[in-house]
């Protein structure tokens, strides 16, 4: 009886796998199916075209400052449970580090979009 159930389950699973492979076959590969989809329009240029490095740098700077702001927000909640002088010193160090980083990037010309 056990052998019969095992054989039946094996045959059923093999039949299901064969049916899935026959159903999932793609019919014909044509140009529309192989081209990338861009809002319903045909792409006019290569997808490998280079992009502006200034845009990339501004995006990275935005992410860095966004994460640092997310780090600063919980500091406001901890003000109730810490000593005011320690809390104020910590906040000032973090903000001073952010300002120094921004000044350094400004001096290096990273923030200039057009040259």
């Amino acid at each position: 009886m056990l052998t019969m159930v095992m054989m039946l389950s094996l045959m059923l699973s093999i039949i299901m796998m064969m049916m899935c492979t026959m159903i999932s076959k793609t019919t014909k590969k044509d140009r529309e199916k192989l081209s990338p989809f861009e809002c319903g329009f045909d792409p006019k240029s290569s997808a490998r075209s280079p992009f502006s490095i200034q845009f990339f740098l501004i995006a990275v700077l935005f992410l860095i400052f966004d994460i640092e702001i997310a780090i600063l927000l919980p500091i406001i909640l901890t003000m109730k449970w810490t000593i005011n002088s320690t809390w104020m010193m910590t906040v000032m160090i973090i903000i001073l580090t952010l300002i120094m980083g921004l000044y350094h990037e400004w001096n290096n010309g990273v923030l200039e979009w057009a040259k």
Side-chain angles (χ1 to χ4, degrees):
M1 182 73 174
L2 182 64
T3 322
M4 183 80 136
V5 170
M6 287 176 59
M7 291 293 280
L8 186 64
S9 65
L10 182 65
M11 284 186 355
L12 185 64
S13 63
I14 289 173
I15 290 171
M16 293 293 282
M17 284 191 288
M18 287 177 24
M19 285 177 56
C20 286
T21 55
M22 287 190 301
I23 291 172
S24 69
K25 295 281 183 186
T26 56
T27 56
K28 185 167 68 168
K29 294 184 179 179
D30 56 354
R31 182 169 117 48
E32 283 79 25
K33 288 184 181 178
L34 293 176
S35 67
F37 181 73
E38 294 181 11
C39 301
F41 298 106
D42 287 331
K44 301 206 184 310
S45 64
S46 172
R48 302 279 184 203
S49 62
F51 58 94
S52 172
I53 193 70
Q54 284 90 7
F55 176 76
F56 177 73
L57 289 175
I58 295 292
V60 168
L61 287 175
F62 173 76
L63 284 175
I64 290 171
F65 283 108
D66 192 39
I67 290 170
E68 289 171 347
I69 293 299
I71 290 171
L72 279 175
L73 287 177
I75 289 178
I76 297 169
L77 298 174
T78 62
M79 189 168 110
K80 297 177 195 175
W81 300 292
T82 59
I83 303 169
N84 280 341
S85 61
T86 307
W87 183 85
M88 191 63 113
M89 186 63 81
T90 305
V91 170
M92 285 300 182
I93 289 173
I94 291 173
I95 291 176
L96 185 64
T97 305
L98 285 174
I99 291 172
M100 285 176 21
L102 181 64
Y103 180 73
H104 176 70
E105 290 160 358
W106 194 343
N107 275 344
N108 285 339
V110 174
L111 300 177
E112 293 178 14
W113 187 262
K115 293 183 179 182

